[in-house]
Amino acid sequence: MVRLRPDSPLLFDIVQRPDFSFETSARAEGLWPVAGMDEAGRGPLAGPVVAAAVVLDPDNIPPGLDDSKRLSHAQREALFERVLSAARAVGISSVCAESIDAGDIRKASLEAMRRAVCALSVQPKLALADGRDVPPGLPCLGRALVKGDQRSQSIAAASIVAKVMRDRMMADCGRIHAQYGFEIHMGYATARHRTAIKAHGPVKRLHRISFAPFRRAQGEE
């Protein structure tokens, strides 16, 4: 008789932590330096999508690198500073809401990652991308890693840099447009954000008019 599930399930989930094995294997293939790239801000209703590319120093990797979503705000801020001081190169780029509306968020995310790699002061021979897609037009070979920010320390570092930079940009937006609370929700579709949109309308060049809530509202009008 075939058992469909084990009689004794694990008492806890095994959490995967990123390491440097993908980068080490690439180096053995002659593909060095290696950059990790990731983006932040695909889902919000407002603000840019921000991407980062990071070339880590294998002899000086900041401890504690992980998927930015699994870190607290304080941990991200501390690691952000460590990555900037320890990495061989860091590139940062963004694609604004208007450009997202002109195409789509997937294309905008890939373009932001491409620009981040191009902004590196050290030219990589391989760029590792978080997800299933390799950004087109890279100046080097690209490889995609599903859940890469939980598997590769270079991608994890990029995810932290992109997240912190975007959060800071949205906090600045919050100081300018205080009624929306961008510094709290970072542009995501929280109840407070949706209420502010209903009361004040979308902010030109900041809200993503192509996203569903705005499309529905335009259809009703």
Side-chain angles (χ1 to χ4, degrees), residues 172-194:
D172 286 340
C173 292
R175 284 187 280 272
I176 297 170
H177 304 283
Q179 66 271 37
Y180 291 87
F182 290 122
E183 72 282 4
I184 297 172
H185 52 67
M186 307 303 169
Y188 283 87
T190 63
R192 173 173 179 174
H193 191 190
R194 294 195 302 270

Side-chain angles (χ1 to χ4, degrees), residues 7 30 33 40 48-49 58-60 73 79 82 92 95 98 102 117 126 130 132 157 162 176 186 190 202:
D7 289 334
V49 59
D59 298 320
N60 189 20
H73 173 79
L79 282 165
R82 292 174 193 154
I92 303 170
V95 173
E98 285 186 313
V117 173
L126 173 66
D130 180 42
R132 298 182 180 276
I176 297 170
M186 307 303 169
T190 63

Side-chain angles (χ1 to χ4, degrees), residues 102-218:
D104 61 58
I105 186 59
R106 175 182 169 275
K107 291 178 182 178
S109 299
L110 295 174
E111 173 60 14
M113 286 193 283
R114 184 195 70 81
R115 293 179 187 178
V117 173
C118 291
L120 289 167
S121 59
V122 173
Q123 180 66 55
K125 288 190 177 180
L126 173 66
L128 301 174
D130 180 42
R132 298 182 180 276
D133 300 315
V134 174
L138 288 174
C140 61
L141 180 66
R143 290 176 182 170
L145 291 178
V146 176
K147 294 187 177 180
D149 48 9
Q150 299 178 20
R151 302 167 66 192
S152 159
Q153 288 178 320
S154 297
I155 297 178
S159 77
I160 292 166
V161 172
K163 171 64 174 170
V164 171
M165 283 301 300
R166 188 180 188 280
D167 283 357
R168 293 182 179 184
M169 294 168 72
M170 296 308 296
D172 286 340
C173 292
R175 284 187 280 272
I176 297 170
H177 304 283
Q179 66 271 37
Y180 291 87
F182 290 122
E183 72 282 4
I184 297 172
H185 52 67
M186 307 303 169
Y188 283 87
T190 63
R192 173 173 179 174
H193 191 190
R194 294 195 302 270
T195 299
I197 292 170
K198 289 180 180 178
H200 306 288
V203 179
K204 187 177 181 181
R205 301 180 64 187
L206 184 58
H207 279 102
R208 302 174 183 180
I209 306 302
S210 61
F211 276 40
F214 302 108
R215 290 203 310 269
R216 286 197 295 267
Q218 289 171 346

